[in-house]
């Protein structure tokens, strides 16, 4: 039986230099990882798409959720800061390309500069995502949840959102948070909301210019606003005040929206953070001249593949979460 051997002439296995398509073992393994990770993200985004299609009538409107811009509190700018984040990440992909190209030319100085700019771009993106999470978790307006699990928001007669602290009354009611040593089955209760349901109901009654807006999207692709009489009737069924978002419920609409937002953007953010850490390690190796001694900057090229993949995934996440 014939066996595969290495010829004495120095020719490697299969006569291909043991490098399929000219790719080294390290780059080939990076491509395997990218393909497997791409399938993982595809599964997450597909699950998001199916869930959104199923609950399309109550899905939050991105233009009303992602409106915060640093130093512009009270002046909603839908999608502006998310667009800035996207630009920064894509720009960092450009600097990574330039770093890889400089590595091919064995130009240490240019690799150092472009890799440093890539790291800065990644840090800005991760920091911006953390800031966006903070605002998403904290919330801005608040809402109430009814017995049936429906979410009710508050608007004025012009349809502009109104925050709970703008109208909620203050009642002399003592509240105590459920803790493990006091509650049934030793369960902890979530942090108490700023206002009770009674305070929201009482404040709403004393402000006749307020209306209730449901989470249901009408034919005009806007949330349905009820009449004053309908608003009072629906508000009487309120059982819980909701402020911000968590894995249990959120003030923006369908509960699944927050679950997917935290999981998918968090998973992507972890990838970006990991890429930044790897880039920092390689950056110091470049400064120490490690790759210059090897006469090869292949490590920069390999991490570049990973960085471009992370950028490409964000394009899909950005499209699915923020644009569609």
């Amino acid at each position: 039986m014939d066996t595969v051997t290495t010829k004495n002439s120095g020719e490697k296995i299969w006569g291909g230099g043991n490098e399929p398509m000219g790719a080294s073992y390290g780059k080939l393994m990076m491509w395997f990882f990218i393909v497997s990770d791409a399938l993982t993200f595809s599964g997450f985004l597909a699950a998001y798409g199916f869930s959104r299609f199923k609950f399309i009538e109550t899905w939050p409107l991105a233009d009303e959720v992602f409106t915060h811009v640093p130093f512009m509190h009270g002046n909603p700018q839908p999608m502006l800061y998310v667009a800035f984040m996207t630009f920064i990440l894509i720009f960092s992909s450009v600097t990574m390309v330039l770093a890889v190209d400089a590595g091919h030319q064995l130009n240490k100085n240019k690799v150092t500069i472009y890799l440093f700019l890539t790291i800065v771009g990644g840090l800005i993106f991760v920091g911006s995502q953390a800031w966006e999470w903070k605002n998403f978790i904290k919330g801005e307006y608040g809402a109430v949840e009814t017995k049936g699990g429906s979410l009710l928001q508050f608007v004025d007669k012009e349809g502009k959102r109104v925050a709970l602290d703008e109208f909620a009354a203050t009642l002399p009611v003592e509240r105590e948070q459920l803790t493990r040593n006091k509650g049934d089955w030793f369960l902890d209760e979530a942090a108490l909301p700023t206002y009770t349901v009674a305070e929201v109901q009482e404040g709403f009654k004393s402000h006749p210019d307020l209306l209730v807006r449901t989470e249901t999207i009408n034919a005009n692709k806007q949330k349905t606003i009820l009449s004053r009489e309908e608003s009072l009737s629906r508000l009487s069924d309120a059982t819980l005040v909701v402020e911000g978002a968590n894995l249990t419920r959120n003030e923006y609409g369908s509960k699944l929206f927050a679950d997917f937002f935290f999981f998918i953007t968090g998973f992507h953010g972890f990838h970006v953070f990991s890429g930044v850490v790897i880039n920092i390690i390689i950056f110091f190796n470049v400064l120490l001249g490690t790759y210059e001694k090897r006469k090869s900057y292949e490590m920069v090229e390999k991490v570049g593949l990973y960085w471009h993949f992370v950028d490409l995934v964000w394009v899909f996440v950005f499209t699915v979460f923020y644009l569609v």
Side-chain angles (χ1 to χ4, degrees), residues 57-132:
E57 293 183 352
T58 60
W59 209 254
L61 300 175
D63 285 346
E64 296 183 355
V65 178
F66 308 106
T67 61
H68 302 88
V69 177
F71 312 112
M72 296 179 64
H73 182 72
N75 182 17
Q77 298 292 333
M79 313 306 295
L80 183 61
Y81 195 65
V82 179
F84 167 76
M85 293 168 52
T86 304
F87 171 78
I88 290 295
L89 195 61
I90 292 176
F91 182 77
S92 72
S93 193
V94 174
T95 57
M96 178 57 81
V97 169
L98 295 175
V100 172
D101 182 65
H104 290 160
Q105 301 172 20
L106 300 180
N107 191 325
K108 176 183 174 181
N109 291 333
K110 285 188 175 181
V111 173
T112 302
I113 293 172
Y114 291 130
L115 199 55
F116 176 76
L117 292 176
T118 302
I119 293 170
V120 171
L123 289 174
I124 292 175
F125 180 86
V126 172
S128 298
Q129 197 168 50
W131 184 85
E132 186 184 45

Side-chain angles (χ1 to χ4, degrees), residues 20 52 79 136 185 284 307 322:
R52 176 171 180 172
M79 313 306 295
F136 186 75
W185 300 105
F284 281 109
W307 194 257
Y322 302 95

Side-chain angles (χ1 to χ4, degrees), residues 33-49:
F33 167 76
I34 287 174
V35 171
S36 64
D37 215 25
L39 293 175
T40 303
F41 273 105
S42 298
F44 292 158
L45 293 176
Y48 173 86

Side-chain angles (χ1 to χ4, degrees), residues 23 37 40 49 81 97 153 195 213-214 219 294:
D37 215 25
T40 303
Y81 195 65
V97 169
Q153 301 167 338
Y195 304 100
R213 190 180 77 164
T214 69
R294 296 178 184 175

Side-chain angles (χ1 to χ4, degrees), residues 147-182:
K147 296 177 182 178
S150 298
L151 201 70
L152 303 180
Q153 301 167 338
F154 302 94
V155 297
D156 57 22
K157 292 184 177 179
E158 284 73 37
K160 184 179 179 181
R161 290 288 302 277
V162 177
L164 297 181
D165 57 11
E166 295 182 37
F167 69 88
T170 301
L171 301 178
V173 179
E174 293 186 5
R175 294 183 292 166
E176 184 178 14
Q177 184 175 351
L178 182 66
T179 57
R180 291 177 64 87
N181 62 336
K182 299 176 183 177

Side-chain angles (χ1 to χ4, degrees), residues 8 35 47 56 77 121 153 184 192 243 293 295:
N8 294 330
V35 171
I56 189 65
Q77 298 292 333
Q153 301 167 338
D184 296 333
L192 290 174
E243 294 177 311
K293 294 175 183 176
K295 301 299 181 182

